[in-house]
């Protein structure tokens, strides 16, 4: 990368108001200067660029060679157009500014934009060129506008006097070109010369492709700060929108996960309740079985007193020790049946006692124990009881 200190001489004469370059000469000139300044400062961080005007009230230095691109571009705003160009004075002042550069290792270069007629003689310009060559100053001339009074011939002679090993260049841009910067991009002023201008050529090639290398969106913010700011703002808005969308999606996913957990917890609760219901049903079935067994025991105790003893011997032995209620119920039922049978046997014995029956009949009002019908009834009852007593031994024998 070439380490250079460059002074750009600006033509701000009345001729810059013409519209033969889009949109006009001065605006096309400003765009080209902005592009050159950006390329120079980007090709090498230590390269510097300065600006001066050659028309108006006289030659005026806008900014001495500096690498602050913002300061350089700020000088281009508010320039006054008017007067005639003093080409010789402008080149000499530029040479003086380069002589007082801070870094003496920088190569010296002057770029002249000449868009108005040249009022100097050819010999005068050649003498200025030889002086620049003696001080090792390279010169680039951009000739645009009308070719009046041998303007192009004078400028070519100036460049030929300065040229040393093809370090100086002359570029003519004919009228009617769409933009001055579009034509200059492919010239040696941008592409450089030899190995020393390779970095500058890379920067210029990137600019022609749509922007400087290393810049966001392919736009150099120093050349078009408003466009670069608009693109940056739009990018920030798009990034914020994407982040908001991603955050919303994450929240929705988290909500779905919570719903899944709730449903799983509900399923687990339902499973637990179903298991509890199943256990309760088992307990109810056991209670029903116990009740059925109890009812069976009661029925058996009522129907057949004799079978109660069998149930007491068999079923009560099978009953678990833990089923205390069932055991107690069986015992009570068995006891009641025994009592009933005992009471029945006692009643039958009492009925067979004739004296007991006669005393009871005598105590009843309106009943005569000596009545023949009563005596017959008592006799028949006695005979039935005797027949039963006779049947019992025979059943026991069986």
């Amino acid at each position: 990368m070439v380490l250079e200190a460059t002074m750009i001489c600006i033509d701000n004469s009345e001729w810059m108001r013409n519209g033969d370059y889009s949109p006009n000469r001065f605006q096309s000139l400003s765009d080209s200067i902005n592009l050159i300044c950006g390329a120079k400062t980007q090709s090498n961080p230590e390269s510097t660029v300065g600006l001066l005007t050659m028309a108006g009230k006289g030659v005026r230095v806008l900014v001495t060679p500096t690498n602050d691109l913002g300061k350089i571009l700020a000088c281009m705003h508010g320039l006054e157009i008017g007067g005639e160009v003093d080409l010789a004075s402008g080149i000499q002042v530029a040479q003086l500014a380069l002589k007082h550069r801070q870094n003496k290792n920088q190569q010296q270069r002057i770029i002249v934009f000449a868009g108005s007629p040249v009022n100097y003689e050819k010999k005068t310009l050649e003498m200025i060129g030889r002086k620049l060559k003696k001080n090792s100053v390279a010169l680039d001339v951009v000739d645009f506008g009308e070719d009046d009074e041998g303007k192009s011939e004078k400028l070519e002679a100036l460049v030929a006097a300065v040229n040393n090993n093809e370090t100086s260049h002359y570029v003519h841009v004919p009228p009617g070109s769409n933009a001055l910067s579009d034509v200059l991009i492919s010239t040696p002023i941008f592409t450089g010369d030899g190995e020393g201008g390779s970095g500058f050529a890379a920067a210029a090639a990137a600019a022609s492709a749509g922007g400087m290398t290393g810049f966001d969106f392919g736009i150099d913010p120093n050349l078009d700060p408003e466009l670069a700011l608009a693109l940056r703002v739009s990018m920030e808005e798009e990034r914020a929108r994407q982040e908001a969308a991603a955050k919303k999606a994450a929240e929705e996913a988290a909500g779905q996960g919570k719903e899944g957990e709730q449903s799983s917890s509900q399923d687990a609760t339902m499973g637990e309740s179903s298991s509890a219901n199943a256990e309760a049903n088992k307990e109810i079935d056991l209670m029903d079985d116990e009740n059925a067994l109890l009812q069976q025991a009661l029925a058996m105790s009522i129907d057949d007193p004799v079978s109660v003893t069998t149930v007491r011997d068999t079923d009560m032995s099978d009953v678990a020790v833990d089923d205390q209620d069932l055991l107690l119920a069986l015992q009570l039922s068995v006891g009641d049946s025994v009592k009933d049978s005992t009471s029945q046997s006692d009643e039958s014995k009492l009925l067979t006692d004739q004296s007991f029956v006669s005393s009871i009949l005598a105590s009843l009002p309106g009943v005569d124990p000596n009545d023949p019908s009563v005596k017959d009834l008592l006799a028949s009852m006695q005979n039935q009881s005797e027949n039963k007593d006779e049947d019992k031994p025979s059943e026991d024998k069986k």
Side-chain angles (χ1 to χ4, degrees), residues 210-390:
M212 306 303 295
T213 57
F215 292 117
D216 295 336
F217 320 111
I219 300 298
D220 184 0
N222 298 316
L223 300 179
D224 197 346
E226 294 181 357
L227 178 58
L229 179 60
L231 292 173
R232 189 177 297 108
V233 170
S234 62
M235 178 61 71
E236 292 296 334
E237 292 178 353
E238 179 66 18
R239 186 180 291 109
R241 186 190 66 78
Q242 292 178 358
E243 290 177 356
K247 185 177 180 181
K248 184 177 180 181
E251 291 178 354
E252 292 178 355
Q256 292 178 357
K258 290 182 180 179
E259 292 178 357
E261 292 178 358
Q262 291 178 356
S263 62
S264 62
S265 62
Q266 291 178 357
D267 295 339
T269 305
M270 293 177 64
E272 293 177 356
S273 61
S274 62
S275 61
N277 293 332
E279 293 178 357
N281 293 331
K282 290 182 180 179
E283 292 178 357
I284 293 172
D285 294 338
L286 292 175
M287 292 177 66
D288 293 339
D289 294 340
E290 292 176 357
N291 292 331
L293 183 61
L294 180 60
Q295 291 177 0
Q296 183 180 4
L298 291 174
M300 292 175 66
S301 64
I302 293 172
D303 294 339
D304 191 2
V306 178
S307 63
V308 173
T309 57
T310 306
V311 172
R312 182 178 61 183
D313 296 338
T314 58
D315 294 341
M316 290 180 63
S317 62
D318 295 335
V319 175
V321 180
D322 295 336
D323 299 336
Q324 297 295 331
D325 295 336
L326 180 61
L327 182 61
L328 181 60
L330 291 174
Q331 290 176 354
L332 290 174
S333 65
V334 172
D336 292 338
S337 62
V338 173
K339 288 180 180 179
D340 293 338
S341 62
T342 304
S343 62
Q344 291 176 1
S345 61
D346 293 338
E347 290 177 356
S348 62
K349 288 179 180 180
L350 289 174
L351 291 174
T352 56
D353 189 357
Q354 188 176 2
S355 61
F356 177 72
V357 173
S358 298
S359 62
I360 291 174
L361 293 174
S363 63
L364 295 174
V367 178
D368 186 8
N370 297 318
D371 190 0
S373 61
V374 173
K375 290 181 178 180
D376 294 337
L377 178 62
L378 294 175
S380 63
M381 292 176 62
Q382 186 175 5
N383 292 329
Q384 290 178 357
S385 62
E386 289 177 357
N387 292 330
K388 288 182 179 181
D389 293 337
E390 291 177 357

Side-chain angles (χ1 to χ4, degrees), residues 391-398:
D391 293 338
K392 286 182 179 179
S394 62
E395 291 177 358
D396 295 336
K397 289 179 181 181
K398 290 178 180 182

